[in-house]
Amino acid sequence: MNSNEIKCEGLHVTEGVSGTWFYHLSTAGTNARGLCGERTMHTAIPLSSWGMKSHLNERYCAECQLLGKGELLAAGATISA
């Protein structure tokens, strides 16, 4: 599936399987792939927490952020430029 074909409706945060505290966005109903195509798994982090950093130094996928920008803003997330 081409990234441009993905509809960003019903997104949730997922965690990448390759690194700890690296987050992606996935469409509702799946935890297996981020919008960017990377393999992901379930996490309980709410969409509104996207972009927040703590002592864990969380990181967020820039491609997923771009593809899901509208949903993130609607959820009240703080996104970087």
Side-chain angles (χ1 to χ4, degrees):
M1 176 181 283
N2 183 327
S3 294
N4 294 330
E5 297 173 3
I6 296 172
K7 293 184 178 164
C8 295
E9 296 177 8
L11 301 180
H12 65 108
V13 179
T14 52
E15 187 168 359
V17 298
S18 299
T20 306
W21 302 299
F22 189 87
Y23 298 104
H24 295 271
L25 295 172
S26 296
T27 56
T30 183
N31 289 317
R33 294 271 174 208
L35 296 179
C36 65
E38 291 292 321
R39 290 181 48 222
T40 60
M41 60 186 172
H42 172 78
T43 188
I45 294 173
L47 196 59
S48 61
S49 293
W50 183 269
M52 293 188 176
K53 293 203 177 198
S54 72
H55 68 284
L56 299 173
N57 195 29
E58 296 89 338
R59 294 171 295 134
Y60 300 86
C61 177
E63 186 175 351
C64 284
Q65 178 175 292
L66 180 64
L67 292 168
K69 184 176 181 179
E71 292 259 342
L72 289 169
L73 291 173
T78 302
I79 59 173
S80 59

